[in-house]
Every structure is written in C-alpha cells, then in structure tokens.
Amino acid sequence: MSSKQNANPLKTLVISMGVLLIGGTVLLMAVVWKKVSQEAMKAHAASECAGGKIDLTGRGKIVNRMTDGHIIRIELKKQAGQDETVSIDLCTGKIVGALVIDSDKN
C-alpha cells in the first residue's frame, strides 16, 4: 500500500469529526437560543399582566399562599374543622375555583 492509500481513512475520519463538531455547535446554539427566547417570552407575558384586586373579606384567615404562573392559591382557615383553598387569577383578580374542606375539629 502506498502512503496515499494509508491516509484515506484518516482523511475520512478528520472530515467526519469536523462535520460533527460544526453540526454540534450549530445544534447547541439553536437549543440555547430557544431557551433564551422562551425565558424572554415568559418575562414579557408576566409583565403584560396588569394585576387585579383580590377581595377575600369574610372568607376566613389566610394560612398559606402559593403562586403558580398567573394563578395564586390561598389557603383560608374558616372556622374550627373547616378550611378553604381558593384559586385566583392574578391578572384579573377573579376567583377561578374554591374548595371547602370539612374535617374533624381539633
């Protein structure tokens, strides 16, 4: 075998590794761009929410709150043995759902 024939597999290997390196870099840049654009859209969507007024007067004492996107869940202690969980849309302030839980008095 001549030296040119011995170099053919090496040339093929170098070319394929170059293609993989360039392709991997392009793929990584695309994934990073997609993630950054999604984060920017979430931040923009959060800033579009004007906010609302939540009125829970007479429903009980607030025990806990938890936000999940545009929804806030508030746990209320109504009276002994009765709790209520209220889900409210943060943008409008409207009650989306309410769940009253009756249990044994402690």
Side-chain angles (χ1 to χ4, degrees):
M1 276 184 142
S2 69
S3 64
K4 284 188 175 184
Q5 289 176 337
N6 288 337
N8 281 340
L10 184 59
K11 285 181 184 179
T12 305
L13 181 64
V14 169
I15 290 171
S16 63
M17 287 174 60
V19 168
L20 285 174
L21 183 65
I22 292 170
T25 303
V26 169
L27 179 66
L28 180 64
M29 288 173 27
V31 168
V32 169
W33 177 76
K34 184 177 179 182
K35 181 71 175 173
V36 168
S37 66
Q38 284 178 347
E39 293 295 326
M41 287 188 66
K42 285 181 183 177
H44 182 67
S47 66
E48 285 180 355
C49 181
K53 182 177 179 184
I54 300 172
D55 185 16
L56 297 174
T57 308
R59 292 188 89 130
K61 181 180 175 186
I62 295 176
V63 177
N64 191 12
R65 337 168 198 183
M66 178 177 55
T67 27
D68 182 21
H70 286 290
I71 301 292
I72 184 169
R73 289 180 179 83
I74 300 176
E75 292 181 35
L76 301 164
K77 183 78 170 172
K78 295 178 82 76
Q79 51 186 292
Q82 192 175 44
D83 297 331
E84 183 176 15
T85 301
V86 181
S87 298
I88 303 167
D89 186 355
L90 284 174
C91 292
T92 61
K94 292 185 179 179
I95 296 176
V96 178
L99 175 67
V100 176
I101 301 167
D102 289 323
S103 62
D104 293 336
K105 294 180 183 180
N106 293 341

